[in-house]
Amino acid sequence: IDEAHERSLNIDFLLGYLHRLLPERPDLKLIITSATFDTAKFSRHFHDAPIIEVSGRTYPVELRYRDLEPDEPGRSATDQVQGIIAAVDELAGEGNGDVLVFLSGEREIHDTADALRHHFTDTGQPHTEVLPLYARLSTVEQHRIFQPHRGRRIVLATNVAETSLTVPGVRYVVDTGAARISRYSHRLKVQRLPIEPISQASADQQADRGK
């Protein structure tokens, strides 16, 4: 079972089913993998299963938390787009390097891209490129993120960039803390994609996407 930290309904069901099945099937070998989950808890759940760690090249990661707070008493909270713009501007003062921004869906990506492009035009930053990245994007458009470029690049992505691929040149990551999670509605009998807070393990994995 790969990417067990995602804790989807399918993964949780499989973990529970296999937990009951393993005592009856000693010939069955189960391997659970993830870069960020709590290995000790999973080991205890599966009767103190052995833990195998594969170490790789790591980089120090500094975490910063920015709440969307009201600017003044009585004013509404800063919306997500303005919060991302503020974070991108803050990172611009830290040095060179591209920025990867995690968003919950296509609509949020397009709204943020438009706002960032207008912001960079208004503030005189013409060499900053804004690129979207999501599953329904054409292959040609997706491959643009791998092409060499000059100046600074802001990649706006769904969680497809969490584990499915690595965006080159990224030094900073901005995580909004939300994603569209597939849920089945028993009342409506349909599959839904509500926006929900991501798990702590997913947040840790997304934070490690910069180099």
Side-chain angles (χ1 to χ4, degrees):
I1 300 179
D2 194 17
E3 305 299 345
H5 68 272
E6 292 183 1
R7 297 303 305 275
S8 66
L9 179 61
N10 289 339
I11 289 177
D12 281 359
F13 177 82
L14 285 171
L15 291 175
Y17 182 76
L18 289 169
H19 181 265
R20 299 178 59 182
L21 179 65
L22 286 175
E24 303 175 13
R25 287 288 306 276
D27 60 310
L28 188 65
K29 288 182 170 57
L30 173 63
I31 300 175
I32 305 172
T33 63
S34 171
T36 55
F37 69 178
D38 189 329
T39 54
K41 288 183 178 179
F42 274 78
S43 174
R44 288 195 300 270
H45 183 69
F46 285 95
H47 312 294
D48 295 322
I51 299 173
I52 301 175
E53 295 185 3
V54 180
S55 60
R57 185 171 55 181
T58 60
Y59 299 86
V61 176
E62 177 189 353
L63 298 179
R64 302 179 184 180
Y65 297 93
R66 296 291 184 269
D67 292 330
L68 301 181
E69 299 176 342
D71 296 326
E72 296 176 4
R75 292 185 59 184
S76 61
T78 306
D79 65 16
Q80 179 175 280
V81 173
Q82 293 303 316
I84 292 172
I85 291 175
V88 168
D89 283 345
E90 178 182 333
L91 295 173
E94 297 291 329
N96 297 326
D98 296 341
V99 181
L100 174 62
V101 181
F102 282 102
L103 292 153
S104 54
E106 294 180 37
R107 179 178 178 181
E108 292 77 14
I109 286 176
H110 288 301
D111 290 346
T112 305
D114 291 341
L116 282 170
R117 292 185 182 112
H118 282 106
H119 174 71
F120 294 142
T121 300
D122 294 342
T123 55
Q125 303 179 58
H127 300 297
T128 302
E129 184 181 22
V130 180
L131 293 180
L133 178 61
Y134 50 87
R136 290 205 317 145
L137 203 63
S138 69
T139 303
V140 174
E141 290 296 318
Q142 289 189 31
H143 284 175
R144 288 180 62 191
I145 68 168
F146 299 107
Q147 297 173 357
H149 65 285
R150 294 182 179 180
R152 195 156 168 253
R153 175 177 283 174
I154 313 294
V155 178
L156 308 177
T158 59
N159 55 3
V160 67
E162 179 184 330
T163 56
S164 300
L165 52 84
T166 298
V167 181
V170 170
R171 185 175 178 184
Y172 307 104
V173 176
V174 177
D175 184 6
T176 59
R180 290 192 179 275
I181 309 297
S182 179
R183 302 291 187 198
Y184 179 74
S185 173
H186 292 280
R187 183 174 63 85
L188 300 175
K189 307 298 183 185
V190 295
Q191 198 78 16
R192 300 170 57 246
L193 288 171
I195 297 176
E196 298 180 3
I198 61 175
S199 67
Q200 182 63 59
S202 289
D204 293 340
Q205 182 132 335
Q206 291 180 176
D208 291 335
R209 303 314 290 172
K211 292 185 178 180

